[in-house]
Every structure is written in C-alpha cells, then in structure tokens.
Amino acid sequence: MRIFSGIQPTGRKHLGNYIGAIRQYVEGQDRAGASRHESIYCIVDLHAITVPYEPVELRERLYDTLTILLAAGLDPQRSILFRQGDVPEHAELCWLLSSVTALGELNRMHQFRDKSVAQRELVSAGLLFYPVLQAADVLAYRAGEVPVGEDQREHLELMREIARRFNARFGGDEEILVVPEHRIPPVGARIMDLQDPTRKMSTTGGSVEGTVYVLDDAMTIEKKVKRAVTDSEDPPVIRRGPDKPGVTNLIDILAACTGREPEAVAADFTQARGYGDLKAAVAEAVVAELAPVRERYDELRGDAAALEAILAEGAERARGLARATLTDVRAAMGVGPAA
Ligand code: TRP
C-alpha cells in the first residue's frame, strides 16, 4: 500500500510536528520498504501560498523543511521526497476534482473558517480550494494511507468523499481513485504547549517558551522543560489525567521519546518527591531525541544545490506515478482526446 503525506514549508518545526508527523514518516518509510511499497512525502509550497507570504522566504523555509526531514531519517533512496510545485499534476487534478466538490463542503471546513477570519486583507480563493488541492495530492498517487495529525481529520474525510463521488460519477464499475485511510499516530498525537498544556503545541498562537523547536539546542530545551507548567497538587502526584494536563503532557512526551507506554513511564515516578525528577527525565529524553537531528541538519542545510538535486529526482519519480492516474482521470472525464 502506498503511503502519502504532505508537510507545510512554513514555520519552525517543533516537537509536536516531530513526534506527531515527521517520526511517523520515517516509520512509514520502514514499513513501506519492508513490503516493497512506496512512501511518498511532499513539501506543499502550493498550499503555503494560500495565505500572505514572501517568495524568497518560501524557498528558504522549504529548504529548512526538507533538511529537517532528511535529518530525521527520511532517505531519498527509500522514499519519494519532493516539492509539490514541481509536479504540475497536483494542480491539474485539483481542478478536475473541483467538479465533484461542493462549494458548501468547502465553505464549512473549520480550517477555512478559522483562517479566513484571521486574514486582514485578502481572503484568497486558494484558501477555500486548499482541501481540494490536498485531496489531489493524495489521490494522484492512489495512496491508501495518510499519516497526519488529528487536526486534518476533516480534510481527510472530504478527500475520501471526493474519491467516492468521483468513482461513482466517472468510474463505472471501476475504482479509478483509491479511497484513502487516515492514520493518526498512536502516541503523541497531541503534544501540548509547555506553558499552556490545554493548547496544542503550535507554530502559530503558541508561546515561544512553551514550544520546543526541533532545532533548539540542549540548554534551551532544558530551560523550557524545567519551566513547564504542572500543577500544585500537594504532595505532587505523577499520573496522567484530565485534571492534570501539564503532568500528562510531560509523561506523554517522555513516553514518545523513549518508545514506552505512558502508564509504564508514570509508574517509574511513584516514589518521586516532586515534579523536578520528571522534568529532568523529559529534558534528557527530548535532547537525546533531537540533538542528532540538529547535528545532521547543520551538516546538510548549507548545500542548496544538493537539496535541489534531491527535490528534482523526487519530482521525477512522483511525476511518473501521478501521470498514470491523471491519464485515467482525464479519460474517464472525457477531457482531451479519446485514448
Ligand atoms: N494540510 C496539511 C497540514 O497542514 C498538509 C498537507 C497538504 C497534507 N497536502 C497533504 C497532509 C496531503 C496529508 C496529505 O498539515
């Protein structure tokens, strides 16, 4: 089964992105490799232009994102890694799928609503079309599995609906498009802000002190974790629970970074006299997880030509796959000459 995911080239990637998405990509690469399938990861510059941006910045942030993916363990030999704008089939399929997408569905998307009220000047039509392009991203590869965060559930549901509607309208007896499955990571799907553990760690709207960036150095990580908001339960108790969002978040981070179950992690701290022990263990585990990524990043980021070469090769492979789907879609829709 093909695995596909897309990642925005904007913002500084943080621990939430790393645990919730980037690490899942690497895991998908291993799983796909073991079963001789493709794992395909796309950096979505065409999605990034739906809100105000600077062209020069966009390209730099795209290199940043690609380098983080490489540093985290994605291997261009084993995965297809490419830039969305290099494969024109995405935009073409987006347009073709717009004919089986209802305006009302797009209008109701929460992310569209949230982002459109946040715009000060122009609410672009691209913002409304964002989910159709996202559907095209996945459907172009007939991917069966899409690892993304919980916040993408609505977009995933819509793309499944678009695929079903397309097949019903144009497929006859055939499944021209594959209806993909959502794959939400089991542990660490929701890493929360260290300063406000009721909110997700995020690039926009979070606090810098509460957000651990993938490229933070060890001292910065330690400082942020030590200052994490916990609670004033006396004596302090280290357990997970809705009444203890800060402690729960720290346990979940430690579990995600050490590959253990949260309950097992919490059990290690039954004798702890305060939250300091937990925080020290969390800081150590996060540093151990991120330090090698940061080192590799520093080695790779400077060579833009090498990064472009990786993107070019990825785009060529991606295009080969997407072209096959587009040929079928165009034929089924009666677009272009008869095959
Ligand atoms: N909208 C996704 C996000 O913000 C990024 C994305 C674009 C994506 N195309 C995709 C994710 C296709 C999965 C599949 O995270």
Side-chain angles (χ1 to χ4, degrees), residues 187 251-252 254-269:
V187 199
I251 293 172
D252 288 353
L254 185 52
C257 290
T258 54
R260 299 171 66 209
E261 289 302 319
E263 307 308 332
V265 165
D268 287 351
F269 292 95

Side-chain angles (χ1 to χ4, degrees), residues 54-275:
E54 284 303 325
V56 175
E57 276 284 306
L58 174 61
R59 194 167 289 118
E60 291 302 318
R61 298 294 81 78
L62 195 134
Y63 292 152
D64 294 348
T65 305
L66 172 62
T67 310
I68 286 191
L69 294 179
L70 295 168
L74 286 187
D75 174 355
Q77 305 299 316
R78 294 198 288 149
S79 290
I80 300 180
L81 264 174
F82 72 107
R83 172 168 52 199
Q84 190 183 32
D86 291 344
V87 180
E89 281 75 8
H90 290 237
E92 182 182 357
L93 185 57
C94 172
W95 182 253
L96 295 172
L97 294 176
S98 74
S99 72
V100 289
T101 308
L103 174 60
E105 289 171 320
L106 297 179
N107 239 324
R108 277 195 297 276
M109 291 283 123
H110 284 100
Q111 203 164 90
F112 170 66
R113 302 209 148 236
D114 295 346
K115 283 194 187 174
S116 56
V117 297
Q119 299 312 311
R120 284 155 172 265
E121 288 170 18
L122 174 94
V123 177
S124 72
L127 204 52
L128 181 73
F129 252 57
Y130 183 115
V132 192
L133 180 59
Q134 184 165 347
D137 291 341
V138 175
L139 301 180
Y141 299 92
R142 297 184 164 121
E145 189 180 305
V146 186
V148 278
E150 174 66 39
D151 64 321
Q152 295 297 311
R153 191 181 284 281
E154 217 181 21
H155 289 160
L156 259 291
E157 271 316 310
L158 179 66
M159 89 173 54
R160 287 162 55 81
E161 182 56 30
I162 289 173
R164 283 193 290 258
R165 206 177 285 150
F166 182 92
N167 288 338
R169 169 73 181 86
F170 297 113
D173 306 327
E174 270 183 273
E175 298 262 291
I176 297 178
L177 297 176
V178 170
V179 181
E181 300 289 334
H182 195 181
R183 186 183 174 92
I184 297 179
V187 199
R190 285 175 75 81
I191 299 296
M192 312 306 276
D193 190 292
L194 296 177
Q195 287 299 315
D196 179 359
T198 62
R199 295 171 54 150
K200 259 182 55 169
M201 196 175 277
S202 96
T203 335
T204 49
S207 59
V208 176
E209 307 78 49
T211 309
V212 174
Y213 296 102
V214 175
L215 301 178
D216 276 346
D217 61 28
M219 255 176 59
T220 307
I221 293 172
E222 276 158 23
K223 201 167 74 194
K224 287 176 177 175
V225 173
K226 291 225 163 95
R227 292 187 187 158
V229 169
T230 49
D231 54 57
S232 50
E233 190 167 5
D234 190 22
V237 182
I238 297 178
R239 63 168 168 82
R240 299 180 79 257
D243 55 327
K244 294 174 74 72
V247 172
T248 301
N249 191 35
L250 290 172
I251 293 172
D252 288 353
I253 292 172
L254 185 52
C257 290
T258 54
R260 299 171 66 209
E261 289 302 319
E263 307 308 332
V265 165
D268 287 351
F269 292 95
T270 43
Q271 305 300 326
R273 268 164 298 152
Y275 295 135

Side-chain angles (χ1 to χ4, degrees), residues 15-26:
L15 187 64
N17 303 131
Y18 183 77
I19 291 171
I22 296 169
R23 254 184 20 177
Q24 306 301 312
Y25 295 179
V26 180

